[in-house]
PDB file of all heavy atoms in Angstrom:
ATOM      1  N   ALA A 333      69.574 134.544 122.117  1.00 97.00           N
ATOM      2  CA  ALA A 333      68.669 135.204 121.178  1.00 97.00           C
ATOM      3  C   ALA A 333      68.386 134.313 119.968  1.00 97.00           C
ATOM      4  O   ALA A 333      69.268 133.620 119.474  1.00 97.00           O
ATOM      5  CB  ALA A 333      69.266 136.528 120.738  1.00 97.00           C
ATOM      6  N   VAL A 334      67.128 134.339 119.510  1.00 98.00           N
ATOM      7  CA  VAL A 334      66.699 133.541 118.358  1.00 98.00           C
ATOM      8  C   VAL A 334      66.277 134.478 117.232  1.00 98.00           C
ATOM      9  O   VAL A 334      65.525 135.440 117.459  1.00 98.00           O
ATOM     10  CB  VAL A 334      65.518 132.615 118.739  1.00 98.00           C
ATOM     11  CG1 VAL A 334      65.066 131.811 117.522  1.00 98.00           C
ATOM     12  CG2 VAL A 334      65.909 131.693 119.885  1.00 98.00           C
ATOM     13  N   PHE A 335      66.748 134.181 116.001  1.00 98.00           N
ATOM     14  CA  PHE A 335      66.443 135.004 114.835  1.00 98.00           C
ATOM     15  C   PHE A 335      65.820 134.152 113.724  1.00 98.00           C
ATOM     16  O   PHE A 335      66.067 132.943 113.644  1.00 98.00           O
ATOM     17  CB  PHE A 335      67.719 135.670 114.309  1.00 98.00           C
ATOM     18  CG  PHE A 335      68.357 136.622 115.280  1.00 98.00           C
ATOM     19  CD1 PHE A 335      69.305 136.166 116.196  1.00 98.00           C
ATOM     20  CD2 PHE A 335      68.003 137.957 115.309  1.00 98.00           C
ATOM     21  CE1 PHE A 335      69.897 137.032 117.108  1.00 98.00           C
ATOM     22  CE2 PHE A 335      68.584 138.836 116.217  1.00 98.00           C
ATOM     23  CZ  PHE A 335      69.535 138.371 117.116  1.00 98.00           C
ATOM     24  N   PRO A 336      65.015 134.748 112.839  1.00 97.00           N
ATOM     25  CA  PRO A 336      64.423 133.985 111.735  1.00 97.00           C
ATOM     26  C   PRO A 336      65.511 133.508 110.771  1.00 97.00           C
ATOM     27  O   PRO A 336      66.563 134.133 110.647  1.00 97.00           O
ATOM     28  CB  PRO A 336      63.510 135.006 111.048  1.00 97.00           C
ATOM     29  CG  PRO A 336      63.333 136.114 112.042  1.00 97.00           C
ATOM     30  CD  PRO A 336      64.589 136.159 112.839  1.00 97.00           C
ATOM     31  N   VAL A 337      65.229 132.415 110.071  1.00 96.00           N
ATOM     32  CA  VAL A 337      66.191 131.902 109.087  1.00 96.00           C
ATOM     33  C   VAL A 337      65.978 132.551 107.725  1.00 96.00           C
ATOM     34  O   VAL A 337      66.769 132.364 106.802  1.00 96.00           O
ATOM     35  CB  VAL A 337      66.097 130.371 108.968  1.00 96.00           C
ATOM     36  CG1 VAL A 337      66.508 129.718 110.274  1.00 96.00           C
ATOM     37  CG2 VAL A 337      64.703 129.930 108.558  1.00 96.00           C
ATOM     38  N   ALA A 338      64.880 133.323 107.594  1.00 94.00           N
ATOM     39  CA  ALA A 338      64.589 134.042 106.351  1.00 94.00           C
ATOM     40  C   ALA A 338      63.531 135.102 106.640  1.00 94.00           C
ATOM     41  O   ALA A 338      62.847 135.055 107.665  1.00 94.00           O
ATOM     42  CB  ALA A 338      64.106 133.077 105.267  1.00 94.00           C
ATOM     43  N   ASP A 339      63.388 136.065 105.737  1.00 94.00           N
ATOM     44  CA  ASP A 339      62.355 137.083 105.885  1.00 94.00           C
ATOM     45  C   ASP A 339      60.978 136.433 105.768  1.00 94.00           C
ATOM     46  O   ASP A 339      60.808 135.428 105.065  1.00 94.00           O
ATOM     47  CB  ASP A 339      62.497 138.141 104.785  1.00 94.00           C
ATOM     48  CG  ASP A 339      63.815 138.897 104.886  1.00 94.00           C
ATOM     49  OD1 ASP A 339      64.507 138.751 105.908  1.00 94.00           O
ATOM     50  OD2 ASP A 339      64.153 139.626 103.930  1.00 94.00           O
ATOM     51  N   GLY A 340      59.999 137.011 106.438  1.00 93.00           N
ATOM     52  CA  GLY A 340      58.658 136.444 106.344  1.00 93.00           C
ATOM     53  C   GLY A 340      57.665 137.152 107.244  1.00 93.00           C
ATOM     54  O   GLY A 340      57.901 138.281 107.682  1.00 93.00           O
ATOM     55  N   GLU A 341      56.558 136.470 107.506  1.00 94.00           N
ATOM     56  CA  GLU A 341      55.499 137.027 108.343  1.00 94.00           C
ATOM     57  C   GLU A 341      55.122 136.026 109.434  1.00 94.00           C
ATOM     58  O   GLU A 341      54.956 134.830 109.164  1.00 94.00           O
ATOM     59  CB  GLU A 341      54.269 137.354 107.497  1.00 94.00           C
ATOM     60  CG  GLU A 341      53.130 137.969 108.304  1.00 94.00           C
ATOM     61  CD  GLU A 341      51.942 138.347 107.447  1.00 94.00           C
ATOM     62  OE1 GLU A 341      52.150 138.882 106.329  1.00 94.00           O
ATOM     63  OE2 GLU A 341      50.794 138.103 107.891  1.00 94.00           O
ATOM     64  N   VAL A 342      54.978 136.514 110.658  1.00 96.00           N
ATOM     65  CA  VAL A 342      54.604 135.658 111.789  1.00 96.00           C
ATOM     66  C   VAL A 342      53.132 135.271 111.644  1.00 96.00           C
ATOM     67  O   VAL A 342      52.259 136.135 111.544  1.00 96.00           O
ATOM     68  CB  VAL A 342      54.824 136.382 113.130  1.00 96.00           C
ATOM     69  CG1 VAL A 342      54.360 135.505 114.292  1.00 96.00           C
ATOM     70  CG2 VAL A 342      56.288 136.764 113.297  1.00 96.00           C
ATOM     71  N   ILE A 343      52.861 133.961 111.604  1.00 94.00           N
ATOM     72  CA  ILE A 343      51.469 133.493 111.498  1.00 94.00           C
ATOM     73  C   ILE A 343      50.995 132.828 112.794  1.00 94.00           C
ATOM     74  O   ILE A 343      49.825 132.510 112.933  1.00 94.00           O
ATOM     75  CB  ILE A 343      51.285 132.539 110.299  1.00 94.00           C
ATOM     76  CG1 ILE A 343      52.219 131.326 110.407  1.00 94.00           C
ATOM     77  CG2 ILE A 343      51.488 133.276 108.991  1.00 94.00           C
ATOM     78  CD1 ILE A 343      51.990 130.284 109.319  1.00 94.00           C
ATOM     79  N   TYR A 344      51.918 132.634 113.734  1.00 96.00           N
ATOM     80  CA  TYR A 344      51.537 132.105 115.047  1.00 96.00           C
ATOM     81  C   TYR A 344      52.588 132.526 116.067  1.00 96.00           C
ATOM     82  O   TYR A 344      53.792 132.437 115.812  1.00 96.00           O
ATOM     83  CB  TYR A 344      51.430 130.580 115.028  1.00 96.00           C
ATOM     84  CG  TYR A 344      50.934 129.997 116.343  1.00 96.00           C
ATOM     85  CD1 TYR A 344      49.581 129.822 116.575  1.00 96.00           C
ATOM     86  CD2 TYR A 344      51.827 129.639 117.350  1.00 96.00           C
ATOM     87  CE1 TYR A 344      49.116 129.296 117.786  1.00 96.00           C
ATOM     88  CE2 TYR A 344      51.370 129.121 118.564  1.00 96.00           C
ATOM     89  CZ  TYR A 344      50.020 128.952 118.772  1.00 96.00           C
ATOM     90  OH  TYR A 344      49.564 128.451 119.969  1.00 96.00           O
ATOM     91  N   ALA A 345      52.114 132.972 117.229  1.00 97.00           N
ATOM     92  CA  ALA A 345      53.018 133.338 118.326  1.00 97.00           C
ATOM     93  C   ALA A 345      52.275 133.107 119.636  1.00 97.00           C
ATOM     94  O   ALA A 345      51.346 133.838 119.965  1.00 97.00           O
ATOM     95  CB  ALA A 345      53.469 134.793 118.210  1.00 97.00           C
ATOM     96  N   GLY A 346      52.671 132.060 120.353  1.00 96.00           N
ATOM     97  CA  GLY A 346      51.991 131.751 121.603  1.00 96.00           C
ATOM     98  C   GLY A 346      52.401 130.397 122.139  1.00 96.00           C
ATOM     99  O   GLY A 346      53.267 129.725 121.576  1.00 96.00           O
TER     100      GLY A 346
END
Side-chain angles (χ1 to χ4, degrees):
V334 179
F335 297 89
V337 295
D339 297 349
E341 181 177 319
V342 177
I343 58 175
Y344 184 89

